[in-house]
Amino acid sequence: MDEYELPFFQRLSLQWQGIVIAVVLRATDLLLLLPRPRLLKPYLGLWWQRILWTPYRARRTFEIARALQASGQQFRELMYGETPLVTALWFLRKAGVGRGSRVVD
């Protein structure tokens, strides 16, 4: 088997898990943002951009192969994720971030 490919059922399982997790997280994010309507437009814009472009769609390009070879990683080890809004809010509160604070990502 090519190192870039997962077995069919493993790939299918991961895709379904990703879909379920994404739906649950998007629903909770939207529930958190409903009382803050001015934040909905930027959030939905970011959401749309993620739908259009995601690292999970990366194909076997020369650049990916070169980066993997240089780092000693395999394609399966590539990870990408975003922090759910509820988790980000929890961390920000724990860090004491308030209205007058600045956060650099």
Side-chain angles (χ1 to χ4, degrees):
M1 180 187 337
D2 189 351
E3 72 173 311
Y4 292 102
E5 296 296 325
L6 293 173
F8 175 76
F9 289 111
Q10 186 178 3
R11 186 174 66 238
L12 185 65
S13 172
L14 287 172
Q15 288 173 336
W16 274 108
Q17 289 174 33
I19 290 169
V20 169
I21 290 169
V23 167
V24 169
L25 292 177
R26 296 296 180 205
T28 57
D29 286 356
L30 287 173
L31 287 173
L32 284 169
L33 289 174
L34 283 176
R36 299 164 187 89
R38 70 170 228 231
L39 296 176
L40 271 175
K41 185 177 178 182
Y43 174 79
L44 293 174
L46 291 171
W47 187 8
W48 181 246
Q49 286 302 313
R50 187 183 179 284
I51 289 170
L52 294 177
W53 184 86
T54 173
Y56 289 125
R57 291 191 188 142
R59 300 289 182 237
R60 292 180 234 175
T61 64
F62 175 74
E63 286 300 316
I64 290 175
R66 190 170 62 90
L68 290 173
Q69 187 177 22
S71 68
Q73 290 180 299
Q74 292 183 359
F75 189 75
R76 310 177 173 209
E77 295 176 293
L78 294 179
M79 295 198 95
Y80 168 79
E82 61 186 61
T83 305
L85 189 56
V86 68
T87 305
L89 291 173
W90 183 80
F91 276 114
L92 292 171
R93 283 193 183 129
K94 284 290 203 182
V97 174
R99 284 191 180 269
S101 302
R102 284 185 192 231
V103 177
V104 177
D105 181 7

